[in-house]
Structure formats: structure tokens, C-alpha cells
């Protein structure tokens, strides 16, 4: 299939399925503008939008509004005035033009997995790409075209059908839209780079509602910015990713130790991990079970057979007295979806995380101390190893500025009842208070909760000024503002 046909055959959503234009809607829809100002959308304007798109316009009194307004994180139960469920790139452009000409605050939803709820809004408009999930692999070039609302599972599965793969995150229902514009850490990143390193080009809807391409030749400034600058520069409606030959079977390893051994295990881990090849993606976790039982574990993935894995991970095999110690063959795509149910839609989630460029001597002790003194069932902390190919890309080659990160350490919590929110928020925030002084590498913009402008500036490091230039050129009114926001320069 040619690329043009691929775009034309984008998944269609039944037109007008939720908006009975002119059939009893209130004359106008109340909404909010970018600065929280009140905006009134005329019935005609909304009806015209519906007529102009293949997808559907969902209003608060539409039968499928409840489902359409939800995002993955149950902590953000917001009520947008309008949800535009886009079926193709033209719908996305129409939605952007509508939001602009009616001065409505717009949120962009790819997979809806924003930890901080950026992909929804109270009273604004959601431009939802969730129906745009098509993936098409070109086996000749070993590349994949992937629509901007696709989930990581679409990418993993499409590649695996042809013995190909590229880096994606750990939960298969996460959206590629947010992940690949902001970063893209995953099991394969040491071998193949971040997801964004494998972005060969995009089709994107600008803040003016124009459809443009961005790649090494066309609009290279935009291409640079959408690899790490998140949703600041436009809505990606199609990604073009590099894939690599990879056997669908890889290896998984897991070693769990009694908590009494935690200090030694942690020191061993950071030392051992530093010598691991690019084929090994590992992490260390301090965890309590639901019954409160604590343990420390080292686990990960190896690209290769269990026999090769055993050789590669060397000293870990035979280290200490694990209660569990195993290396197993695993189907990569199955493994990528193994945690999907734990991270189910609608539960409550929060995460505090940061990059660590070196392991301070005090770090294991600080990690362990809070964990032991706050024995919260299901609580814990993890350190995921970075490096390899992702670290060999120059810091200014893309907007992503954390090539020197050795680990991302996270306190990620989840719970089921709203009344438990304070307990979990306090647990993770207080844990992070003790960790943060050691996290000199900044934070992952994709998981941060509402950072201030100054923090964002610092976090993009030497790339920030260039991002401001590009933002000022492509989005001078800061139309795309619900994100780790890079503000355009103000006119003087
Ligand atoms: C369960 C879970 C697991 C995760 N695991 C990983 C992981 O392994 N590795 C990793 O790197 N990250 C991981 N993350 C973080 C993830 O990268 C971000 O949450 C990301 O924003 C999710 O993208 P989304 O499209 O689902 O988000 P959405 O909520 O849809 O969007 C978040 C923001 O991304 C931008 N955006 C979304 N779609 C587009 C688009 N098409 N074009 C332009 N901008 C867009 C918008 O600014 C939007 O506000 C995980 C998150 C969750 C919730």
C-alpha cells in the first residue's frame, strides 16, 4: 500500500453518530478559552464542525459523553465542553481551526495516558486521536507508519509480524503520541535508542491548523523539536519509525532477595549494571506486597536466548541467596503487554521520578531508609537503567536533553478508592523529598506533574533557547499549552 492510500484509509468513525445537529441542542455551548475566560460556541459553529469532519463531535449531553471524556488516570475526572473524535488528519486540522477561531482551550489526546491529566480539560475542547491507530510496516525499508492516536501495542505487534521491532514503553495501551514526542524509554532503548531516536519524520497539524511534514529535509526545526519537546509544536498525525530485525523471542530474568540483604543487593546492582551490554535492560526495585512483605529485586530483559542471557548477566547468576532466581524465554510482544491489567484504565495513579546521572554513595541508603521507615503495603521505589545507544546520541541532536541519565528512579503509586488519594500522594511526595536532592539530572517531562516554567527551562538544559525560537515561529500564541509548556517569546 502506498503512503497516500494509507492516509486515505484511516480508520473511520461514523459521522454524526453522537451529535444530532439542530435536534434539540441548546443554542450555544459554554466553554472556556486558553486563559480561563468564558467562551460561547454557537450551535451553527458546532454543527458546521460536525459536518466538516468524518469523526464525531461529542457534547456534554451526547449519549457517549461519559466514555468520551475519560482519560486513563482516574484522578482527573474533568468535563470538557467538546470532545472531537478525529478519524483522520483532516479532522484534526478542522478541530484545530475550530478551536482557534472560537478561542477555545484545546487539549490533545493520543493514548490518554498523561500522568498529570494534560490530555483533558474542564470546559475546553479535547482533540482526540484515539480512533487513529493504524500501523503499516514497509518491510523493504524496515520502517513503520503509525497514526498519532496509536498505542504502543500497535507498533510492537505490527513490527513483530515481520520479525522487526523498535523501542516502546512498558505498558502496551500507552499512547505513542505523548510517549514518542517526549521521549520513549523502554526495554530496547539501550540497543535501539529512545523511541524518538527512531522517528524518521512526522506528519503534523500546526497551531494554525495546517498539515505539514517534518523530517530531516522538510521543516527540520520542527522535526528536531518534536523529538523531545512533547506536544508543544503541533499534533502528530503520523509517525514514521525505524525498525530493526529482532527475534520475537527474547529472555526475561528476575532475581528477588530478602529485604535484609537490600543494602548489599543495591550496591551490587549499581556496580553490576554499569558493565552490562546494550542487550540487557534492567531495573532494581524495593517493593512491599499487598500483605506488607518487603523484598528487593533485580530484573529485566535480554535480547537473545536464555543461554546467551545467562552468559551476559554473568555475576548476577549465583549472586547472594535469592528467593526467586530465573531466566526464561519470553515472547517480546506478550511481555510488553504483561503489565497492562495492573495499569488498567480508570484507577488512580501518581508518579514522582527523576534522572540520576551518577550513583551517589549515599543513594542506596537514602532509598532504603524511607522504604523501611514507611512500611506501606504495595509501596516501593524502582531504578531503571538507561544508557547504551540512547546515551550515544549528542545532547543537542534532538530536543530531548537527558542523554547522560544513568537511571530513572521513580516512586509510582496506584490505588482504587478516591478516599486513599491523600495517603498515596503523601507517600510518594514525601519519598521524593528525600530522593530529589540526589537527582541532579532533571526529570522526564512525560511523567511530571505540572512543573513551573523555570523548572521546564532548566530541564531542557542547553536545548531550551532553541525550543523557544521554534515555538515562537510555529505556535506564537501558545495554542498548544497543555503540556510541559515551552512558552513562545512575547512580542516586545
Ligand atoms: C501506564 C504508563 C506506562 C508508561 N510507561 C512508559 C514507558 O515505559 N516509557 C516512557 O517513555 N514513558 C512511559 N510512560 C509515560 C508516557 O510517555 C506519557 O504518559 C505519555 O504522555 C503518554 O502518551 P499518550 O499519548 O498516551 O498521552 P496523552 O494523555 O494522550 O497525551 C499527553 C500529552 O502528550 C501530547 N500528545 C499526545 N498525543 C500527541 C500527538 N499525537 N501529537 C503531539 N502531541 C501529543 C499532548 O501534549 C498531551 O497533553 C507511561 C505512562 C503510563 C501512564
Amino acid at each position: 500500500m502506498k503512503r497516500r492510500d494509507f492516509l486515505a484509509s484511516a480508520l473511520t468513525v461514523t459521522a454524526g453518530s453522537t451529535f444530532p445537529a439542530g435536534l434539540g441542542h441548546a443554542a450555544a455551548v459554554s466553554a472556556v478559552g486558553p486563559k480561563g475566560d468564558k467562551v460561547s460556541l454557537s450551535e451553527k459553529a458546532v454543527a458546521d464542525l460536525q459536518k466538516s469532519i468524518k469523526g464525531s463531535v461529542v457534547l456534554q449531553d451526547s449519549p457517549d459523553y461519559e466514555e468520551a471524556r475519560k482519560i486513563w488516570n482516574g484522578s482527573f475526572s474533568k468535563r470538557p465542553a467538546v470532545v472531537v473524535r478525529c478519524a483522520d488528519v483532516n479532522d484534526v486540522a478542522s478541530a484545530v481551526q475550530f478551536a482557534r477561531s472560537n478561542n477555545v482551550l484545546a487539549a490533545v489526546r493520543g493514548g490518554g495516558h498523561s500522568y498529570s491529566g494534560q490530555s483533558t480539560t474542564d470546559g475546553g475542547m479535547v482533540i482526540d486521536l484515539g480512533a487513529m491507530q493504524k500501523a503499516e510496516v514497509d518491510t523493504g525499508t524496515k520502517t513503520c507508519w503509525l497514526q498519532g492516536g496509536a498505542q504502543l501495542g500497535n507498533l510492537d505487534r505490527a513490527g513483530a509480524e515481520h520479525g522487526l521491532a523498535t523501542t516502546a514503553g512498558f505498558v502496551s495501551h500507552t499512547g505513542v503520541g505523548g510517549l514518542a514526542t517526549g521521549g520513549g524509554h523502554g526495554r530496547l532503548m539501550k540497543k535501539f535508542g529512545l523511541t524518538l531516536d527512531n522517528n524518521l519524520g512526522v506528519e503534523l497539524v500546526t497551531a494554525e491548523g495546517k498539515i505539514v511534514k517534518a523530517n530531516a529535509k522538510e521543516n527540520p526545526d520542527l522535526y528536531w523539536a518534536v523529538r523531545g519537546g512533547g506536544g508543544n509544536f503541533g499534533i502528530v498525525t503520523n509517525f514514521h519509525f525505524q525498525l530493526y530485525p529482532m527475534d520475537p523471542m527474547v529472555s526475561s530474568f528476575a532475581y528477588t532477595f530478602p529485604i535484609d540483604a537490600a543494602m548489599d543487593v543495591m550496591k551490587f546492582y549499581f556496580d553490576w549494571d554499569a558493565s552490562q551490554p546494550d542487550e540487557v535492560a534492567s531495573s532494581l526495585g524495593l517493593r512491599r506486597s499487598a500483605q506488607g512483605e518487603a523484598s528487593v529485586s533485580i530484573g529485566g530483559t535480554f535480547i537473545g536466548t536464555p543461554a546467551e542471557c545467562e552468559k551476559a548477566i554473568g555475576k548476577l547468576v549465583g549472586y547472594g541467596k535469592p528467593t526467586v532466581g530465573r531466566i526464561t524465554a519470553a515472547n517480546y510482544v506478550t511481555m510488553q503487554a504483561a503489565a497492562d491489567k495492573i495499569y488498567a484504565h480508570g484507577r488512580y495513579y501518581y508518579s514522582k521520578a527523576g534522572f540520576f546521572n551518577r550513583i551517589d554513595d549515599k543513594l542506596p541508603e537514602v532509598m532504603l531508609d524511607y522504604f523501611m521507615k514507611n512500611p506501606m503495603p504495595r509501596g516501593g521505589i524502582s531504578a531503571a537503567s538507561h544508557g547504551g545507544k540512547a546515551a550515544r546520541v549528542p545532547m543537542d541532536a534532538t530536543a530531548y536533553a537527558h542523554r547522560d541519565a544513568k537511571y530513572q528512579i521513580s516512586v509510582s503509586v496506584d490505588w482504587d478508592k478516591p478516599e486513599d488519594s491523600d495517603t498515596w500522594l503523601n507517600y510518594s511526595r514525601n519519598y521524593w523529598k528525600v530522593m530529589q536532592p540526589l537527582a541532579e539530572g532533571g526529570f522526564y517531562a512525560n511523567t511530571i506533574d505540572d512543573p513551573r516554567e523555570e523548572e521546564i527551562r532548566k530541564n531542557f538544559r542547553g536545548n531550551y533557547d532553541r525550543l523557544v525560537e521554534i515555538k515562537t515561529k510555529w505556535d506564537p500564541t501558545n495554542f498548544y499549552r497543555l503540556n510541559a509548556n515551552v512558552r513562545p517569546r512575547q512580542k516586545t
Side-chain angles (χ1 to χ4, degrees):
M1 188 195 269
K2 292 220 170 70
R3 160 137 175 76
R4 203 179 314 122
D5 303 333
F6 168 65
L7 289 173
S9 68
L11 199 75
T12 44
V13 177
T14 316
S17 59
T18 60
F19 177 59
L23 295 180
H25 269 288
V29 174
S30 298
V32 298
K35 294 187 178 141
D37 38 324
K38 283 194 180 154
V39 174
S40 179
L41 308 171
S42 74
E43 184 183 20
K44 179 172 181 326
V46 179
D48 286 349
L49 172 65
Q50 176 62 84
K51 273 189 230 143
S52 74
I53 64 171
K54 286 194 196 138
S56 56
V57 175
V58 182
L59 302 178
Q60 291 191 348
D61 56 355
S62 303
D64 44 359
Y65 177 76
E66 277 310 305
E67 191 235 314
R69 78 181 177 88
K70 284 184 188 150
I71 61 168
W72 166 81
N73 191 345
S75 302
F76 298 94
S77 180
K78 295 192 179 174
R79 299 185 67 79
V82 187
V83 179
V84 182
R85 294 177 134 174
C86 300
D88 62 15
V89 61
N90 295 319
D91 284 7
V92 176
S94 299
V96 170
Q97 286 157 14
F98 175 89
R100 271 193 83 103
S101 53
N102 290 281
N103 191 36
V104 190
L105 174 66
V108 176
R109 187 189 305 162
H113 279 49
S114 165
Y115 260 101
S116 54
Q118 302 277 4
S119 47
T120 186
T121 143
D122 267 328
M125 168 169 162
V126 173
I127 302 175
D128 179 5
L129 277 72
M132 296 170 59
Q133 298 197 350
K134 192 156 181 163
E136 186 203 327
V137 172
D138 179 335
T139 51
T141 57
K142 299 189 179 59
T143 61
C144 179
W145 288 99
L146 192 71
Q147 286 190 307
Q151 300 176 1
L152 301 182
N154 296 106
L155 178 62
D156 288 337
R157 289 189 298 271
E161 271 179 35
H162 304 282
L164 299 168
T166 199
T167 307
F170 291 86
V171 174
S172 84
H173 49 66
T174 309
V176 75
L179 179 128
T181 51
H185 313 146
R187 291 184 166 98
L188 307 181
M189 74 175 157
K190 282 174 64 186
K191 182 73 177 167
F192 301 138
L194 303 175
T195 310
L196 63 77
D197 293 327
N198 294 298
N199 174 353
L200 300 172
V202 295
E203 172 192 72
L204 170 145
V205 175
T206 67
E208 279 187 348
K210 288 192 180 142
I211 301 166
V212 300
K213 288 190 180 136
N215 51 49
K217 290 195 179 132
E218 295 164 280
N219 301 310
D221 58 343
L222 206 47
Y223 176 50
W224 180 85
V226 296
R227 289 174 296 156
N232 270 291
F233 303 92
I235 302 177
V236 176
T237 47
N238 256 290
F239 290 92
H240 191 201
F241 286 117
Q242 184 67 60
L243 308 178
Y244 305 87
M246 190 182 87
D247 193 303
M249 293 304 288
V250 294
S251 302
S252 159
F253 58 93
Y255 290 82
T256 302
F257 302 87
I259 197 67
D260 299 348
M263 208 54 198
D264 287 343
V265 172
M266 292 166 87
K267 286 182 180 157
F268 166 81
Y269 171 73
F270 290 120
D271 191 43
W272 164 85
D273 179 63
S275 65
Q276 287 305 292
D278 291 354
E279 286 75 15
V280 173
S282 76
S283 66
L284 169 105
L286 292 173
R287 284 275 151 231
R288 276 180 205 279
S289 67
Q291 292 71 37
E293 197 186 332
S295 61
V296 55
S297 59
I298 297 172
T301 309
F302 174 78
I303 305 172
T305 64
E308 290 163 340
C309 177
E310 184 170 343
K311 217 167 145 196
I313 64 175
K315 278 198 284 179
L316 178 56
V317 182
Y319 170 77
K321 293 186 180 149
T323 51
V324 174
R326 59 164 187 261
I327 301 175
T328 46
N331 178 281
Y332 176 70
V333 173
T334 307
M335 190 162 69
Q336 286 281 89
D340 283 9
K341 284 197 181 135
I342 300 170
Y343 293 99
H345 290 76
R347 299 185 63 230
Y348 297 82
Y349 299 93
Y350 188 71
S351 179
K352 283 300 233 182
F355 291 122
F356 291 68
N357 300 345
R358 63 189 183 88
I359 295 304
D360 190 284
D361 288 347
K362 291 198 296 278
L363 187 116
E365 197 182 322
V366 175
M367 270 172 90
L368 186 60
D369 188 58
Y370 185 93
F371 179 78
M372 294 309 286
K373 287 183 180 151
N374 297 274
M376 184 84 164
R378 299 186 54 255
I381 190 166
S382 65
S385 180
H386 281 223
K389 190 173 175 186
R392 295 192 286 271
V393 175
M395 193 86 87
D396 60 358
T398 67
Y400 180 88
H402 303 285
R403 302 295 176 174
D404 51 353
K406 296 267 189 291
Y407 295 91
Q408 185 178 209
I409 298 187
S410 327
V411 182
S412 296
V413 293
D414 52 88
W415 62 103
D416 290 299
K417 295 183 193 145
E419 58 269 29
D420 294 336
S421 297
D422 284 348
T423 307
W424 282 109
L425 292 176
N426 287 336
Y427 177 80
S428 46
R429 286 176 180 154
N430 290 335
Y431 210 149
W432 200 247
K433 263 188 209 150
V434 299
M435 296 303 301
Q436 184 143 39
L438 302 173
E440 80 286 14
F443 56 83
Y444 185 25
N446 274 10
T447 54
I448 198 67
D449 58 325
D450 202 20
R452 284 168 291 130
E453 190 180 1
E454 177 56 20
E455 287 173 322
I456 292 172
R457 190 191 63 71
K458 247 172 79 185
N459 199 50
F460 278 115
R461 300 156 137 196
N463 290 339
Y464 184 73
D465 290 345
R466 192 168 166 193
L467 284 167
V468 173
E469 286 302 312
I470 299 169
K471 180 79 174 177
T472 308
K473 175 177 163 192
W474 289 94
D475 186 12
T477 64
N478 203 11
F479 176 80
Y480 294 115
R481 61 178 60 209
L482 293 177
N483 43 47
N485 197 223
V486 174
R487 296 208 187 149
R489 228 187 6 260
Q490 299 297 310
K491 280 191 194 136
T492 47

